[in-house]
Every structure is written in structure tokens, then in C-alpha cells.
Amino acid sequence: MAVSSRTLKLRVSAKKSVADGVVVLDLEHPDGARLPDWTPGAHIDLMLPGGLIRQYSLCGDRWDACRYRVAVLREPEGRGGSAYVHDRLQVGDGVGVGGPRNNFPLVPSERYLFLAGGIGITPLLPMIHQAQLTGADWNLVYGGRSRGSMAFLDELAGYGPRVHVVPEDTRGRPDLQAWLGDVRDGVRVYCCGPAGLLDAVEAACAHWPTPTLRTERFAAAQQELPVRDAPFEVVLANSGTNVTVTPGTTVLEALRRVGVDVLSSCMEGVCGTCETTVLDGRVDHRDALLSHDERVTADRMFPCVSRACGDRLVLDL
């Protein structure tokens, strides 16, 4: 998918509450211009005051060329982005938008199982719509604290018995063993939600073929120690510059030290903003974005967290 590299100044055309602690924003170009295309699983960056950049999944109609829709959960323990959206951002306000980019693409399949926890429903909504359009066999298991906290239930009700809503306060947690205990040929599993759900789903899918499960995380998973605890060299192919990366420094920090300003946001390997092409060298992938097959290919990395396995990496910078 082509990704827009520029930041657009869009206008908030609508704002409404869709669940306890969740608001939906509609964003449009002030002149009504067409917005960059996107595919299911894509997200945009919202550029908020104070240098805050936050990523939100596009959850509207991808065929609506003039409107983006995102849903924002209020996070009391967050760094202020969601509080600003909930309390201060109003209809008519302008906001910078970067992207869209897609680190969670929907691959073609005849059968899908979608697993959502809370606000993790957002990237799955366009996937469900796409699966329905293509005639795929699919089911959604959607868990949350209570029905009142679960967004888009009215919209999902239109899909009938394919949607399985599991509010924890009345039904407990989703029975992952019932859905994932038996391996089923040709099923692709997509999961988004809090870390506890993703960890449980990954464990439940351990006996499935490797490409089956694809997840999207809101925060980085617990990482093992780096493969290498010694310095390594990063070569910038476009300029021939060599940069030494020490054990206590990220590749991104080392690049900035020599004046290479790679766009970044989360600093945790979850947003994909700093994606960089790797021309040579083996990468110690420490992000929460790449699939197993993508890690084997090793033609890109996220320098905010990933490192080198050997003495040298050559980057397309």
C-alpha cells in the first residue's frame, strides 16, 4: 500500500461518544479534498499539541475517500494524548495527520477468526467488512469489561451470529480454548487488544502453523536481552557515514547523534513510524510489528528498538 509521507491538516467534522470512555472522531480535509487511500488494518498519526504524536486505527469506511474515522479510548494512565482528544479537541478544530500506514494488513483467506479486546476492535472493523465483501467465512470474538465499555456493538449487531460478544462482568473472559484448541486448515487469526489477551492468544496458537496468527499491540511486549551486548557499526549507504551503536544506545539515538533525523513516535517498536530499509546485515528484531516471515526476510527494521546481530548493519539512509 502506498503511504503518504506528508502531514495533512485535517478538520474534526464530527465527535461523539460511542461507549464508556470512547469517542469517535471524523476527520476531513477543510476543502473537501480526497484523502490518501488506505487498507484494513491501517492507522494514522494524530499530531497533538506539545509534540505528542499518537497512532489510531482507521475504523471507518475505506471507500469514503473524503473522511477518516478513528476511535480514542481515554487512558487515565497515559501521557496526555487521549485526555486532549476527549477534553479539548472539538468539532471544527484542525489537527495534523500523518500516514496512513499499515503494519497489520489483512491477507487474503477463505476463513478468518477475529479476536478483539476493548478498543482493539477498531482495526478489526474494516477487516470484517472486507471479509464480508469477499464472501469469506469469518467469526469475531469480542471481549470487554462490560457492554457499556464496548464500542460499535450496534454496528456489529448487523452481522448477526458471526459476532460473539463476551462482556467480562456477565460472561467472564472469552473461551480461547474453544476457538483455538483445534487447528483448522486455512484459518487466519487476527487479534488486537491489551497485552494480557495477546499473550493468551499467542500461547493458545502455539500449536498452529506459524503464519496463522497476526497481532497488533498497543504497547511493547516484554523483551529478552539483546542478542549482542557489544558495540556494532551502522553504515548509512547514501552518505557512507559509519555510526557506532553502543549497548546503552538505540540505533535511532545513534543516528540522531550524527544528524540523521528519522521520523519516530512511540519509541517502543509498536507504531511503525521509524521503519527503515536494511540493505545488509542481520537484525535483532525487537519490535511488536513484523511477522515471523517478515523477520526472516530481514529487509527492514525499526531502529527505535531493534539492533544488530553481528558487527555491522547497512541501512538505506
Side-chain angles (χ1 to χ4, degrees), residues 19-286:
D20 295 343
V22 180
V23 296
V24 163
L25 302 178
D26 286 349
L27 304 169
E28 300 178 6
H29 195 282
D31 299 328
R34 182 186 181 96
L35 302 178
D37 294 337
W38 58 280
T39 53
H43 68 263
I44 57 174
D45 304 318
L46 288 192
M47 315 295 183
L48 303 174
L52 294 175
I53 303 175
R54 296 292 180 267
Q55 291 73 40
Y56 297 106
S57 297
L58 289 166
C59 58
D61 180 4
R62 61 175 293 215
W63 305 113
D64 185 344
C66 298
R67 182 180 298 107
Y68 288 158
R69 180 177 76 165
V70 297
V72 180
L73 171 69
R74 182 187 289 276
E75 300 181 82
E77 304 303 319
R79 293 175 289 174
S82 68
Y84 180 86
V85 170
H86 275 255
D87 299 336
R88 301 182 61 183
L89 194 62
Q90 301 298 324
V91 172
D93 287 352
V95 61
V97 172
R101 60 176 57 86
N102 198 340
N103 304 308
F104 191 42
L106 183 70
V107 299
S109 181
E110 295 181 357
R111 289 179 289 277
Y112 297 100
L113 174 61
F114 301 110
L115 302 167
I119 199 64
I121 189 62
T122 52
L124 302 185
L125 289 175
M127 294 186 182
I128 290 167
H129 182 61
Q130 181 73 12
Q132 189 77 359
L133 283 177
T134 60
D137 181 16
W138 63 271
N139 282 277
L140 166 69
V141 181
Y142 180 15
R145 297 188 310 276
S146 65
R147 288 188 67 91
S149 71
M150 300 170 72
F152 306 113
L153 291 182
D154 290 345
E155 181 176 329
L156 290 167
Y159 292 114
R162 292 182 183 272
V163 175
H164 307 267
V165 178
V166 189
E168 186 173 356
D169 61 347
T170 58
R171 296 187 54 190
R173 296 183 178 179
D175 185 354
L176 297 181
Q177 184 62 28
W179 290 99
L180 299 170
D182 296 327
V183 176
R184 287 166 285 154
D185 291 340
V187 176
R188 290 281 187 164
V189 180
Y190 281 79
C191 180
C192 185
L197 172 65
L198 270 66
D199 291 343
V201 169
E202 288 175 351
C205 282
H207 61 297
W208 287 64
T210 299
T212 298
L213 174 63
R214 192 67 188 260
T215 63
E216 184 167 61
R217 290 182 176 267
F218 303 137
Q222 184 68 35
Q223 292 280 359
E224 298 178 356
L225 292 174
V227 169
R228 182 183 180 87
D229 62 0
F232 58 91
E233 296 296 311
V234 171
V235 179
L236 311 184
N238 296 339
S239 65
T241 303
N242 280 33
V243 183
T244 300
V245 182
T246 57
T249 304
T250 68
V251 174
L252 187 64
E253 289 168 340
L255 292 174
R256 287 178 172 172
R257 195 171 59 228
V258 296
V260 180
D261 189 14
V262 176
L263 186 65
S264 65
S265 174
C266 72
M267 303 301 291
E268 295 182 336
V270 297
C271 76
T273 304
C274 66
E275 180 177 329
T276 302
T277 299
V278 179
L279 301 178
D280 190 37
R282 289 196 307 120
V283 179
D284 177 12
H285 292 288
R286 306 180 62 76

